[in-house]
Amino acid sequence: NAGVTQTPKFQVLKTGQSMTLQCAQDMNHNSMYWYRQDPGMGLRLIYYSASEGTTDKGEVPNGYNVSRLNKREFSLRLESAAPSQTSVYFCASSEISPGGGSPLHFGNGTRLTVT
Amino acid sequence: SQKIEQNSEALNIQEGKTATLTCNYTNYSPAYLQWYRQDPGRGPVFLLLIRENEKEKRKERLKVTFDTTLKQSLFHITASQPADSATYLCAPRSYYGNNRLAFGKGNQVVVIP
């Protein structure tokens, strides 16, 4: 039982390149989330998917797209990377919404540097 | 808009003492609040959930209080141990919806043996 798995763990991109961050969970959770964490800023929600087939914008969606491929997988795409997207990206999942008392389970992050 | 505040200064505490962290929120009243622990290079790990109708919640050496009048949650680690050294994140329900949490910046705790 691996929980939430993120790939890759590290990535360096040049400005303008694109890439997709992958996330998969094996807990049969309904909701999945993408956060970014920057020094002094805390975790900020980029996009989330409350259930399979739905996605919604979070606080900082600009420059990103997401795909809820199936119940297990939720990917984050950077179409044209910018230095401001240098960050640590965390994927999380929860059984139901946090409002229902469901905690978030996080992966160990992807460390992305855009030069 | 919502604002979640945690002390940015690290808390250095002697082993065996009680560590107390504060989480203040403004401009709204979340119905619940969660606390997470984060170790360097790792994702956050859920510790406790407390709802607005609960004044206090305990789990082993951890205790959380939720004062909706003061708009504040306190997080206590009793009989602290070096293994408790980590960053602790406060996460109330987001102002923007029930499906979302709003995270504070975190408060680092260093337990000195």
Side-chain angles (χ1 to χ4, degrees), chain A residues 2-55:
Chain A
V4 177
T5 302
Q6 292 184 237
T7 55
K9 289 184 169 52
F10 300 93
Q11 184 71 49
V12 178
L13 291 178
K14 292 190 189 316
T15 298
Q17 288 185 319
S18 62
M19 80 161 294
T20 300
L21 281 62
Q22 307 285 355
C23 175
Q25 52 93 5
D26 62 2
M27 296 172 283
N28 201 36
H29 284 172
N30 289 303
S31 301
M32 297 186 75
Y33 311 81
W34 277 105
Y35 286 88
R36 61 178 288 175
Q37 188 173 41
D38 303 290
M41 295 293 291
L43 283 159
R44 291 182 292 168
L45 183 64
I46 305 171
Y47 271 94
Y48 68 102
S49 171
S51 60
E52 188 179 355
T54 69
T55 59

Side-chain angles (χ1 to χ4, degrees), chain A residues 33 35 37 40-43 45 48 50 57-59 90 97-104 106-108 111, chain B residues 2 32 34 36 38 40-46 49 51 89 93 96 98-106:
Chain A
Y33 311 81
Y35 286 88
Q37 188 173 41
M41 295 293 291
L43 283 159
L45 183 64
Y48 68 102
K57 294 178 181 179
E59 302 168 60
F90 287 101
S97 76
S102 188
L104 268 58
F106 284 84
N108 283 324
R111 281 139 190 87
Chain B
Q2 65 197 7
Y32 63 86
Q34 298 185 4
Y36 288 77
Q38 187 173 22
R42 312 279 292 189
V45 174
F46 172 76
L49 161 76
R51 297 188 183 278
L89 309 176
R93 174 196 184 276
Y96 298 104
N98 207 37
N99 279 331
R100 302 150 66 159
L101 295 175
F103 281 85
K105 295 175 186 178

Side-chain angles (χ1 to χ4, degrees), chain B residues 44-111:
Chain B
V45 174
F46 172 76
L47 295 174
L48 283 161
L49 161 76
I50 187 165
R51 297 188 183 278
E52 61 182 342
N53 60 347
E54 299 172 315
K55 295 299 181 194
E56 182 180 297
K57 204 82 169 279
R58 290 176 186 261
K59 179 183 174 183
E60 297 171 358
R61 293 182 296 107
L62 307 179
K63 184 178 85 170
V64 170
T65 62
F66 195 9
D67 189 325
T68 54
T69 302
L70 291 179
K71 292 188 180 292
Q72 180 180 84
S73 176
L74 298 179
F75 177 84
H76 306 270
I77 308 172
T78 58
S80 56
Q81 303 168 0
D84 295 326
S85 298
T87 296
Y88 293 86
L89 309 176
C90 163
R93 174 196 184 276
S94 172
Y95 173 84
Y96 298 104
N98 207 37
N99 279 331
R100 302 150 66 159
L101 295 175
F103 281 85
K105 295 175 186 178
N107 198 174
Q108 186 184 10
V109 172
V110 178
V111 181

